Amino acid sequence: MNAINTSILDTLARIVGPSGLLGGSDMAPYLTDWRNLYSDGAALAVLRPASTQELSDCVKACVAAGVPMVPQGGNTSMVAGATPDASGRQIVISTQRMNRVRAIDTMDMTMVAEAGVILKTAQDVAREAGALFPLSLGAEGSATIGGVLSTNAGGNTTVRYGNARELMLGLEAVMPDGTIWNGLRRLRKDNTGYALRHLLVGAEGTLGFITAAALRLFPLPREEAVALAAVRDEEAALSLFRRFRDRDESAVRAFEYMSAGSMHLVLDHVPGATLPLAQRAGHYVLIDLASSRPGAELRALLEEVLAEAMEAGEVLDAALAESGAQRAAIWRLREEHPEGQKLAGASVKNDVSVPVSKVPEMIRRSSDALRALIPGSRPVPFGHMGDGNIHMNLAQPLDMDAKAFLERSHDIMDCVNEVVRELGGSFSAEHGIGRIKTDMMESWRGGAELAAMQAIKKALDPKGLFNPGKVLP
Ligand code: FAD
Ligand code: 2HG
Ligand code: ZN
């Protein structure tokens, strides 16, 4: 290690203390991504500041020494956004020790949480206070408030409550020069020039470091009803969504589509996963209704709409949860989709969105194109149909070498993206750009939009030290 590195590490160690600076093999969990796509990560150190002030002092020291920084929360990014490169020059800054819920107010319906608060903890704290923090996703046991805001995560309840951005009222952040910005305003209306808070949301750590957020809360549901239905095809799934939306839009908390390909990987690979239906089908949907209105009669609504759709030949079979345990078991089948695909071998992810009406066409055309591109490959689409966001993923052919399959990743993504572009969609719906999709930015956002992004980056982070190599090409 050279003298410059030794001196910056000494400075940082003085700021954060011995438990705030990790090196050597202690850094291992911070250096690879959840998907294990990048195992070449290396870092000068992993920093774990315990407060906004400590973080600010660390950032100032890193800027002075020209050391690049990689913000990291739960490291569950699907696009390797939180992992460092192979240079060994970058410092990972983890929010693990900045994990206090600072305040909760059920009159204002707000909660102020530090960036390192785990999403599940935020939900639990809100529930204990008699309110709902509605953001929900499979990684909620590890993902953090800073991470979900920095990726503008969506998840399962976007159809009812919006993305993470819609749940944020104000932010506190350490800007790229180390200045602390306190924008923790808990206001429903605050039109005061450019909305810096919205620039930081979805910036994936490239424009500053979110240290705390003022979040919106909602009333707890009084009634919940969940069903898993086998449906005839993609169009039938969409038609069922419309039936529920037309009957009571405010009751639809989640509407998730799962193809046979993806559901059966869960049933075949995830221990304990069982289908609560008489037989396997070609397509499934999970319907989750919730209401805080007394007497919402959601169970009756669920039965009536499913019966109508059965009569119309759209629904083939359905299982209605009779208890909290059964609701959880049905949800588990959905939540285990990423894990099922991981256990089944190599897969390539395509987190895409199209206008809701185009979802069936997108799934069908992409699946055909993918099968033609790599014979024997298995399209495994699933996801948030109510938001037009499908994970149009592809599992490797059973007889193909995983490495050879992954080498085709960009062909596979291009193949889906071509269909998505024709349908007016986006190549990145909810996971972000991270390290994986930077090369797509020019073709999708090039021109005025990308130029503005680059100008903003240069203005806020002129030395390019915040999460270099992510988001922008
Ligand atoms: P990290 O992975 O640590 O970081 C994500 C990005 O944010 C990185 O670019 C990082 O540099 C940056 N960052 C982290 N913290 C900060 C901070 N405090 N300030 C500035 N930048 C920061 N996403 C969805 O949208 N919907 C889903 O349904 C969904 N399901 C998932 C299911 C599984 C099993 C997994 C593994 C992931 C899933 N994701 C989903 C991916 C999703 O992006 C993350 O789970 C979550 O948003 C990231 O939170 P994190 O704390 O792990 O962030
Ligand atoms: C989900 O919806 C996540 O479960 C992960 O966004 C999607 O594994 C994926 O492709
Ligand atoms: Zn998703």
Side-chain angles (χ1 to χ4, degrees), residues 2 32 71 73 137 164 244 268-269 280 307 363 446 458 460 463 473:
N2 66 34
T32 51
L137 39 92
F244 279 105
D268 294 343
H269 294 279
R280 291 186 175 194
I363 295 177
K458 213 167 170 59
L460 292 182
K463 291 187 170 174

Side-chain angles (χ1 to χ4, degrees), residues 325-347:
Q326 287 186 5
R327 282 203 295 273
I330 289 177
W331 261 113
R332 181 165 173 246
L333 286 176
R334 165 62 184 87
E335 297 288 22
E336 293 288 9
H337 272 54
E339 190 62 25
Q341 291 181 13
K342 210 174 183 184
L343 293 172
S347 60

Side-chain angles (χ1 to χ4, degrees), residues 137-138 154-156 256 334 338 351 382-384 389-391 430-431:
L137 39 92
N156 303 325
E256 297 282 310
R334 165 62 184 87
D351 166 40
F382 68 100
H384 319 290
N389 170 202
I390 296 293
H391 302 298
E430 60 171 3
H431 295 163

Side-chain angles (χ1 to χ4, degrees), residues 34 71 73-78 81 139 144 147 150-151 153-155 204-205 210 430 467:
W34 189 86
N75 199 15
T76 65
S77 168
M78 285 280 176
T144 61
S150 296
T151 57
E204 301 182 42
I210 295 174
E430 60 171 3
N467 218 0

Side-chain angles (χ1 to χ4, degrees), residues 202-280:
E204 301 182 42
T206 60
L207 296 180
F209 211 118
I210 295 174
T211 52
L215 302 166
R216 287 179 67 187
L217 301 177
F218 294 80
L220 276 172
R222 284 191 168 83
E223 269 187 47
E224 294 170 293
V226 171
L228 181 76
V231 294
R232 190 191 59 219
D233 53 19
E234 296 89 344
E235 276 81 9
L238 187 63
S239 169
L240 186 61
F241 172 61
R242 188 180 194 149
R243 286 177 189 276
F244 279 105
R245 198 186 56 187
D246 288 356
R247 278 291 292 274
D248 188 351
E249 185 177 25
S250 68
V252 181
R253 179 166 60 182
F255 193 93
E256 297 282 310
Y257 168 81
M258 291 155 281
S259 62
S262 63
M263 176 68 99
H264 300 164
L265 290 187
V266 175
L267 297 173
D268 294 343
H269 294 279
V270 176
T274 44
L275 189 68
L277 300 170
Q279 58 189 43
R280 291 186 175 194

